């Protein structure tokens, strides 16, 4: 069985990057600092979740800048 605890509001100085019908805030980032927040498992990569690898590649390319 899956657990579910979610942040329902975006903190001050953060903007929404992704959402879904199940989770209103899937990803967010700070407006001026290199701070990101996720509420899903981007490391998950299987036939049901094929984008996991690309999500991690994108994150690494952003993190490498800092």
């Amino acid at each position: 069985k899956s657990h579910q605890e979610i942040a329902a509001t975006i903190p001050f100085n953060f903007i929404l990057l992704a959402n879904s019908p199940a989770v209103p805030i899937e990803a967010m980032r700070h407006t001026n600092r290199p701070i990101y927040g996720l509420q899903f498992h981007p490391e998950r990569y299987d036939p049901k979740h094929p984008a996991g690898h690309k999500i991690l590649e994108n994150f690494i390319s952003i993190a490498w800048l800092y």
Side-chain angles (χ1 to χ4, degrees):
K1 194 167 187 178
S2 180
H3 64 277
Q4 186 171 0
E5 294 179 35
I6 63 170
T9 60
I10 296 176
F12 180 72
N13 282 340
F14 279 80
I15 60 170
L16 180 66
L17 296 177
N19 64 354
S20 73
V23 181
I25 304 168
E26 294 264 2
M28 61 183 155
R29 76 170 171 84
H30 195 273
T31 54
N32 340 345
R33 300 176 73 192
I35 301 171
Y36 292 80
L38 302 175
Q39 293 196 108
F40 63 98
H41 294 280
E43 77 285 357
R44 192 167 185 184
Y45 177 61
D46 58 31
K48 188 176 176 184
H49 305 90
H53 190 259
K54 185 63 177 171
I55 292 169
L56 287 176
E57 281 180 352
N58 291 343
F59 178 76
I60 290 167
S61 71
I62 292 168
W64 188 258
L65 298 173
Y66 297 97

